[in-house]
Amino acid sequence: MTDVRHVYRLLDARLPHHAGASTAGLAPTSVDALGDRRWLAAQIAAAGRLYRCGDQTVLGVLWWYSASSVLVAPTVESLLVTGFALDPARVRLYLHPDGRLLAARSDAVCPAPGPALRAVLSAAIDCVSELTGARGRALWAVAGDSLSNRVLWAGGSPADAVELAAAIGPMPVPRFVSVGGRNVVRRASCCLIYAATGAEKCVSCPRQPPAERMRRLRGL
């Protein structure tokens, strides 16, 4: 079996800014905490303070938009960059003092990343949905967009994202659009940052006319 240290040596060399590259000043916690209502409630409360928002459903989606990207990163990055998948069930998440999840590392390699990611994501989504009222379908769409973005950031292709999403199961089929010769995720989800803060919608937000989204993406 491949040694996890070997995988991280390859990641460090080929993708220096991977999700586990720097954990300095961050507090570690087990991935199992994502299914712990008490722990999750504290994270949602911290997000409420950070964004000055009291809407639990909005906060659930907004928190998960960030957390899911960090959660899937070790497995997706390692699989795409090294050919070996780090085990999502053995991930340690690293928290900033303000509650944001900013890094993640795993201490094992797994042979079947699709089912392993499905189990971890399902447990987290069920808990977020139950606690905040955010719809499971919306949370799976968020996870799908996080997965697709991580695939691209790791140097993968749209086909890689579609294949991995199919192995996971419940998430929408990833979609992409070419902007200036570069693949960009055609998002199926909205992070709701605009609803929490009153800020402008994200450049790639699906809750805007397609022509406006493309205009903003080209400008970026």
Side-chain angles (χ1 to χ4, degrees), residues 46-55 59 196-197:
R49 293 190 295 271
L50 182 64
Y51 296 107
R52 299 180 181 179
C53 175
D55 187 315
L59 287 172
T197 66

Side-chain angles (χ1 to χ4, degrees), residues 13-209:
R14 300 175 184 175
L15 194 68
H17 301 294
H18 63 83
S22 176
T23 59
L26 305 177
T29 189
S30 168
V31 70
D32 293 337
L34 293 176
D36 183 325
R37 282 178 55 92
R38 186 173 179 179
W39 180 88
L40 183 58
Q43 307 315 305
I44 299 297
R49 293 190 295 271
L50 182 64
Y51 296 107
R52 299 180 181 179
C53 175
D55 187 315
Q56 291 297 291
T57 300
V58 169
L59 287 172
V61 173
L62 182 54
W63 180 85
W64 179 239
Y65 191 84
S66 174
S68 62
S69 179
V70 177
L71 173 60
V72 303
T75 305
V76 173
E77 291 173 344
S78 59
L79 180 61
L80 268 294
V81 175
T82 75
F84 304 101
L86 291 168
D87 192 346
R90 299 286 294 272
V91 160
R92 291 192 73 78
L93 303 164
Y94 290 84
L95 282 77
H96 187 274
D98 66 12
R100 288 175 297 154
L101 295 173
L102 297 183
R105 294 181 68 88
S106 178
D107 65 0
V109 177
C110 71
L117 279 168
R118 179 170 63 245
V120 170
L121 289 168
S122 293
I125 285 172
D126 288 348
C127 194
V128 174
S129 181
E130 181 182 349
L131 185 65
T132 68
R135 294 183 301 115
R137 183 176 178 180
L139 298 174
W140 272 111
V142 168
D145 287 345
S146 291
L147 178 89
S148 297
N149 273 313
R150 285 290 178 180
V151 167
L152 293 184
W153 294 340
S157 68
D160 293 323
V162 171
E163 181 179 359
L164 187 50
I168 294 170
M171 60 181 54
V173 176
R175 299 179 301 171
F176 299 84
V177 62
S178 178
V179 181
R182 179 177 179 181
N183 288 317
V184 176
V185 176
R186 184 179 175 186
R187 284 168 46 191
S189 70
C190 176
C191 67
L192 297 182
I193 186 68
Y194 79 94
T197 66
E200 187 179 17
K201 290 184 175 71
C202 301
V203 171
S204 59
C205 182
R207 294 189 176 186
Q208 56 186 333

